[in-house]
Amino acid sequence: MSGENQFGFRELLQRSIVDGIRINNPVILKGQYETAYELLRDSIDAGVTPCLVGPPGVGKSLLARKVAEDTARGFFEVFFDENMTPSRLIGAFDPALVVRRGRTVESFEPGPLMRSMVEGGLFVAHELNRATEFCQNSLIAPLEERHYQLFPFGMIKAHDNFAFIATQNPIETSGTYRLSRVLVDRIGCWIRLNYPSRETEIEIIRVNAPAFDLSENALNRIYEVIHDTRENPDLEIPASPRAGIYLARLVDRYLKRFDDEESAIRFFAPSILAKEMKVRNSGKSIQAIIDEILERRLG
Amino acid sequence: MEQEPLRYPFSVTQYFIPEFIHRMRRSRDVIEKPSPRQSIAMCSLLLPAYLRKGHISFGDLIKVAVNTSKVENQATAEKIAYEILLDVEEAEDDQPRYEEEAFLGLLSEKSDDLITYLPSDLSEADKGEPHPRLDSVDMFKELSGKPDIGVGPGEDELIRMAIRGWKRERDERSRRNLAEFLKMRLLKLGREFERNLEHLHKTMLRPFEVGDDPELIDEDRSIENIFDQGKSMEEVRYDDFLVKKRDRKRRAIAYILDISNTMFYEMEGVTSVQHSVMSLVPLMWGLRRDRYGLILYESNSHIRKELLDEGDIDELIDDLLMVLTSTTSEVEKGLRGTKGSQTWGGTVPNKSLKWALDQLEGSGDRHEKTCFYFSDFVLEEPDMESPEKMENYQIVERMIDRGIRVVACVSPLAGGELFKPYTSVALKRMRDAGAEILETNGPAKFLERVQSILE
């Protein structure tokens, strides 16, 4: 990177730093989402740790963000995988500063969990069942006793506003670890999210398409195509509401290039759907399944 | 009814919550029993609902009962919550059958299934939750004097006994518990095997990154590095420190399991397929962080997981454990349903071997490639040579030529009088083709040999 570009980047980075997060589009709190949101708020108010469980793209992260925004808490998140270590989660000492100043507060670089504990933020642990045993163990004390023993400082007590939400995905289990019973026992509320009802999903798609002016017919067609993937026994992982949103955005944006809405859906659907679906060992290709669905729904 | 406000909500919850937890613990469908933390969570979650609405309804009680239960127990939790609220007697089916206890003593002295329940009498002083019966019959006591039943040769004996016990047992619940027990023991062996392989990982050094564990800093090499650069103390940065990084050897592994009819032949109470699965399960678990694929074959080949597929190892292991306890016709039904007119049960491994070759070849050059082939190697008719059968060995030779290690994992039954005429030629040809031969006569011993091969 040249010095000039680097300078430009730093300036832009500085300008991009915002306080807290804002959700751009309205969050639909209907049906299962209303219940889940209420349970999340109640759990946090009651000091019970909640975990949202559901397939990808059903809005687990969005609900967690919504809670952070509505309760005016700072938002910290971590996506667990094999590379996440307790030191990244909690924080670690900068060895260069330790050499100069010793193990002081200044030489400690906090991780997101420690920051949310100290600042009283909402910590969201995405894909909790991908956390290694080491990371799972690091979560036990903050979840139950709301403190963490950090050498050499001693016991760090969490801010009263500190809250924790976990999410996990029951289908996509590759690389997952079994949650230890000790950790499972400390999660007091298990909130299941499934694919939403027709009415809710169409509304979700509508509010997330930028122009909000897709016709009812187009929205219905998009929903039907997405919904058919969930009924198809050849698919192990069907399309999520997120796929419906992406499809609606593309159709909405480029509709003028096509004769009608159906043609636009037919053009964009294969690229969107193939990306996130997974076929069982039935011998059918993903393309053949998409073609069948489009043929059935769009003629 | 669900939305009806309760007149005295907290007197209801005082009864509802302990009763719910009590019934959940007694339910056969709930494997991991709820702890007292769930009762606390239920109380805690009812309070915000009460403060928000000014009342609690039956619906709230059901909601907290369901949502404080783990996802897999939520259907049972809902049923139990309704039963309590509708004053329905606990289902007869959920009562433990005490005549089973002697057998269940097999599992563990601490098993939840051995709980003796105190009568539900609230007037009695709280005696806490019931404790496991410690005087239950433990069939493994007959092993006293034999090797320790930790990880080691004693573990093999324990697992073999469990399998024999399983075969005799017809009760579904006991079989399920025994399956859990077997799985637990086999995975324990797998973990031990994984730990034993740890030292094979090379240790490398790399600059410290924010978030690294300072415990991993190699102090001597870091000081050397700082001196070499001639930096003063004030100029030292965090990335001048070097941390030890374990470089895992990347492996690509294809597992082939023979499920042809001869694999279900029994000798001394154990079949070849059982010997194979008992060794395969801990091996797969120990190497689960590597890329792996699994194929089963008889006359047909059944791909269970391709090398690059995402897959649930737990599910695969559960499937394999089902093979362990099934007859050949049950496996056939499980794999292809009730339909299907192809021949079943023959020994046609060439497609599976080709699949393994293709998978491993496609896995890139950076991986150490191994094919573990579990079979009784009843591949040959005495004094008969057919080009199709020779093709099997040619594929093995091709694998070896391309740097793939082939490990023939042979059932102990292959050495028996009955099978020897069929297996001796096959095993000689496998050896001549370059395969390494290991016997699967006990998972612990088998894993020790695999470890020495991998080293």
Side-chain angles (χ1 to χ4, degrees):
Chain A
M1 195 187 280
S2 74
E4 197 180 326
N5 283 344
Q6 197 175 358
F7 179 73
F9 172 78
R10 287 196 173 142
E11 198 173 301
L12 289 171
L13 180 65
Q14 191 62 44
R15 271 191 249 152
S16 305
I17 298 170
V18 291
D19 287 333
I21 48 154
R22 290 278 175 277
I23 301 170
N24 293 327
N25 297 321
V27 179
I28 305 297
L29 291 180
K30 279 186 177 172
Q32 62 167 356
Y33 295 111
E34 186 184 4
T35 314
Y37 178 78
E38 207 172 80
L39 271 167
L40 277 180
R41 294 286 302 261
D42 285 355
S43 304
I44 288 171
D45 290 346
V48 172
T49 303
C51 180
L52 289 159
V53 185
V58 292
K60 301 185 293 286
S61 310
L62 188 66
L63 267 186
R65 285 201 179 95
K66 171 88 178 139
V67 171
E69 192 176 286
D70 291 355
T71 56
R73 282 179 162 94
F75 184 76
F76 300 87
E77 63 184 343
V78 153
F79 290 82
F80 279 105
D81 64 14
E82 281 216 335
N83 295 320
M84 178 57 66
T85 58
S87 311
R88 286 175 206 272
L89 194 61
I90 303 290
F93 286 94
D94 179 333
L97 296 178
V98 171
V99 168
R100 286 200 279 272
R101 302 176 195 164
R103 285 180 185 251
T104 61
V105 172
E106 291 75 33
S107 53
F108 181 71
E109 189 62 47
L113 180 59
M114 185 54 72
R115 279 195 61 192
S116 59
M117 282 178 71
V118 171
E119 294 174 21
L122 175 70
F123 179 82
V124 180
H126 295 280
E127 309 284 0
L128 185 64
N129 50 348
R130 287 176 177 244
T132 60
E133 286 165 32
F134 292 137
C135 282
Q136 289 186 33
N137 289 342
S138 318
L139 296 174
I140 291 169
L143 286 193
E144 178 76 359
E145 286 86 18
R146 300 176 65 83
H147 65 228
Y148 192 84
Q149 180 74 33
L150 186 65
F151 179 79
F153 305 139
M155 198 71 85
I156 310 291
K157 186 179 171 296
H159 191 285
D160 286 345
N161 274 347
F162 166 65
F164 186 106
I165 296 178
T167 75
Q168 69 176 50
N169 183 342
I171 301 175
E172 194 190 338
T173 45
S174 170
T176 57
Y177 292 83
R178 250 165 211 249
L179 287 185
S180 69
R181 281 197 72 168
V182 192
L183 184 59
V184 166
D185 206 29
R186 280 158 174 81
I187 295 173
C189 186
W190 298 86
I191 306 167
R192 195 150 45 158
L193 284 180
N194 288 318
Y195 296 114
S197 66
R198 181 189 183 102
E199 185 199 20
T200 310
E201 187 158 353
I202 288 179
E203 198 165 343
I204 291 172
I205 297 172
R206 183 187 291 115
V207 300
N208 281 282
F212 287 43
D213 58 0
L214 265 182
S215 72
E216 274 305 305
N217 176 55
L219 288 170
N220 278 314
R221 288 281 175 275
I222 290 171
Y223 171 76
E224 280 158 5
V225 168
I226 299 295
H227 180 70
D228 272 13
T229 65
R230 295 172 198 158
E231 305 280 302
N232 195 314
D234 294 322
L235 287 172
E236 189 180 327
I237 300 180
S240 70
R242 199 180 283 138
I245 293 170
Y246 293 160
L247 186 53
R249 283 182 185 170
L250 283 169
V251 171
D252 192 27
R253 177 86 172 78
Y254 297 108
L255 189 57
K256 284 180 195 148
R257 292 187 192 171
F258 297 89
D259 295 337
D260 51 28
E261 290 157 339
E262 272 86 357
S263 313
I265 296 171
R266 188 187 296 280
F267 182 79
F268 290 119
S271 320
I272 299 282
L273 298 180
K275 174 187 74 74
E276 64 169 26
M277 297 193 317
K278 191 179 167 200
V279 190
R280 286 186 205 283
N281 285 330
S282 62
K284 273 191 185 173
S285 71
I286 204 155
Q287 193 54 49
I289 296 170
I290 295 171
D291 287 347
E292 264 175 32
I293 293 173
L294 292 177
E295 187 59 35
R296 187 166 53 246
R297 286 299 173 185
L298 306 174
Chain B
M1 185 196 94
E2 277 190 20
Q3 299 312 317
E4 281 283 302
L6 303 176
R7 256 180 105 183
Y8 303 106
F10 292 102
S11 63
V12 175
T13 55
Q14 207 178 356
Y15 161 75
F16 175 78
I17 294 174
E19 185 62 22
F20 172 76
I21 296 293
H22 182 69
R23 289 199 193 186
M24 283 289 279
R25 284 182 190 155
R26 291 182 61 143
S27 171
R28 287 180 183 197
D29 299 326
V30 179
I31 306 287
E32 287 183 10
K33 309 293 178 194
S35 76
R37 281 199 182 89
Q38 186 168 346
S39 321
I40 298 168
M42 287 174 76
C43 291
S44 309
L45 277 176
L46 281 171
L47 192 61
Y50 179 74
L51 294 174
R52 197 173 52 245
K53 299 188 294 187
H55 68 266
I56 289 173
S57 63
F58 275 7
D60 292 321
L61 293 178
I62 290 165
K63 198 160 85 175
V64 293
V66 171
N67 285 294
T68 54
S69 302
K70 278 183 73 184
V71 171
E72 58 268 32
N73 297 334
Q74 289 188 346
T76 311
E78 188 172 7
K79 180 174 153 268
I80 290 175
Y82 270 110
E83 279 172 4
I84 296 169
L85 294 174
L86 297 172
D87 204 18
V88 175
E89 285 293 309
E90 201 170 346
E92 187 64 29
D93 195 35
D94 287 347
Q95 306 290 338
R97 280 189 267 157
Y98 290 96
E99 65 273 16
E100 286 168 0
E101 287 183 357
F103 181 75
L104 289 170
L106 268 179
L107 302 177
S108 143
E109 288 189 335
K110 287 180 181 166
S111 166
D112 287 335
D113 296 294
L114 294 179
I115 286 169
T116 336
Y117 295 98
L118 297 169
S120 173
D121 183 358
L122 294 174
S123 62
E124 247 185 277
D126 183 13
K127 291 181 183 170
E129 278 303 308
H131 293 287
R133 273 169 48 138
L134 298 179
D135 57 347
S136 55
V137 178
D138 188 342
M139 145 178 182
F140 295 116
K141 279 179 185 157
E142 67 186 69
L143 285 168
S144 55
K146 292 202 174 180
D148 178 37
I149 54 172
V151 173
E155 190 77 11
D156 290 350
E157 185 60 29
L158 184 68
I159 290 169
R160 265 199 290 270
M161 288 192 72
I163 290 198
R164 290 187 198 117
W166 195 340
K167 205 175 51 191
R168 286 197 302 270
E169 187 51 48
R170 287 280 152 248
D171 177 72
E172 190 47 44
R173 183 187 175 205
S174 309
R175 287 172 70 90
R176 202 171 66 193
N177 286 332
L178 206 43
E180 279 295 315
F181 163 78
L182 256 181
K183 186 173 174 181
M184 196 177 77
R185 307 305 297 196
L186 291 174
L187 297 194
K188 183 182 165 198
L189 280 174
R191 275 195 297 276
E192 187 69 19
F193 172 63
E194 187 184 9
R195 272 198 291 275
N196 292 341
L197 290 181
E198 278 287 303
H199 73 275
L200 293 181
H201 303 157
K202 282 185 215 155
T203 303
M204 293 171 69
L205 289 174
R206 65 160 172 78
F208 185 92
E209 287 169 13
V210 176
D212 275 341
D213 185 352
E215 297 290 316
L216 297 176
I217 291 175
D218 184 326
E219 287 149 8
D220 293 344
R221 299 293 297 275
S222 299
I223 291 171
E224 215 172 277
N225 183 41
I226 292 165
F227 284 167
D228 283 350
Q229 295 180 74
K231 284 189 172 178
S232 71
M233 199 59 94
E234 289 307 310
E235 289 168 328
V236 172
R237 279 169 46 91
Y238 62 85
D239 52 5
D240 293 325
F241 290 82
L242 301 174
V243 288
K244 286 175 245 168
K245 184 193 164 203
R246 290 213 138 173
D247 185 32
R248 289 191 71 240
K249 250 187 201 171
R250 288 165 178 268
R251 296 189 193 94
I253 304 163
Y255 299 102
I256 303 175
L257 174 64
D258 179 356
I259 51 163
S260 62
N261 286 338
T262 56
M263 290 290 283
F264 291 83
Y265 183 83
E266 188 181 301
M267 206 155 75
E268 292 174 12
V270 187
T271 63
S272 288
V273 83
Q274 287 170 338
H275 279 296
S276 300
V277 170
M278 283 192 294
S279 298
L280 174 57
V281 166
L283 178 68
M284 275 178 70
W285 187 255
L287 300 174
R288 67 189 179 283
R289 295 177 211 277
D290 295 303
R291 278 189 182 169
Y292 65 92
L294 170 67
I295 192 164
L296 316 183
Y297 79 84
E298 30 78 47
S299 302
N300 316 288
S301 292
H302 310 271
I303 300 168
R304 308 309 291 162
K305 182 187 171 296
E306 300 231 343
L307 208 70
L308 297 178
D309 265 1
E310 290 190 346
D312 183 354
I313 180 112
D314 261 326
E315 218 171 84
L316 284 176
I317 283 176
D318 287 346
D319 285 353
L320 287 171
L321 286 171
M322 284 317 293
V323 171
L324 190 84
T325 57
S326 306
T327 60
T328 178
S329 39
E330 283 164 350
V331 172
E332 178 182 356
K333 203 173 158 191
L335 283 176
R336 70 172 181 194
T338 46
K339 292 175 191 166
S341 56
Q342 316 112 298
T343 322
W344 180 276
T347 309
V348 187
N350 57 355
K351 279 193 179 154
S352 295
L353 285 164
K354 260 189 218 156
W355 173 86
L357 173 61
D358 292 345
Q359 292 280 309
L360 292 170
E361 276 202 314
S363 68
D365 295 332
R366 294 176 60 196
H367 290 82
E368 189 182 280
K369 299 167 189 179
T370 310
C371 172
F372 287 100
Y373 176 14
F374 289 83
S375 174
D376 55 5
F377 291 88
V378 182
L379 298 176
E380 302 284 338
E381 298 280 329
D383 306 324
M384 275 180 73
E385 202 169 276
S386 74
E388 292 87 47
K389 297 216 162 129
M390 290 311 289
E391 196 191 346
N392 299 329
Y393 311 110
Q394 286 158 5
I395 300 171
V396 172
E397 265 172 24
R398 231 182 299 158
M399 284 196 201
I400 307 279
D401 287 347
R402 290 172 198 188
I404 299 169
R405 175 188 286 142
V406 179
V407 184
C409 309
V410 189
S411 155
L413 274 71
E417 285 308 310
L418 184 69
F419 289 129
K420 215 170 183 175
Y422 301 90
T423 57
S424 53
V425 178
L427 286 170
K428 182 179 180 306
R429 286 186 173 148
M430 286 295 287
R431 200 174 283 117
D432 291 346
E436 285 158 277
I437 312 283
L438 288 188
E439 203 180 40
T440 53
N441 60 349
K445 281 188 213 158
F446 172 78
L447 293 174
E448 270 175 31
R449 289 184 212 118
V450 173
Q451 190 188 327
S452 60
I453 284 184
L454 294 180
E455 280 170 2

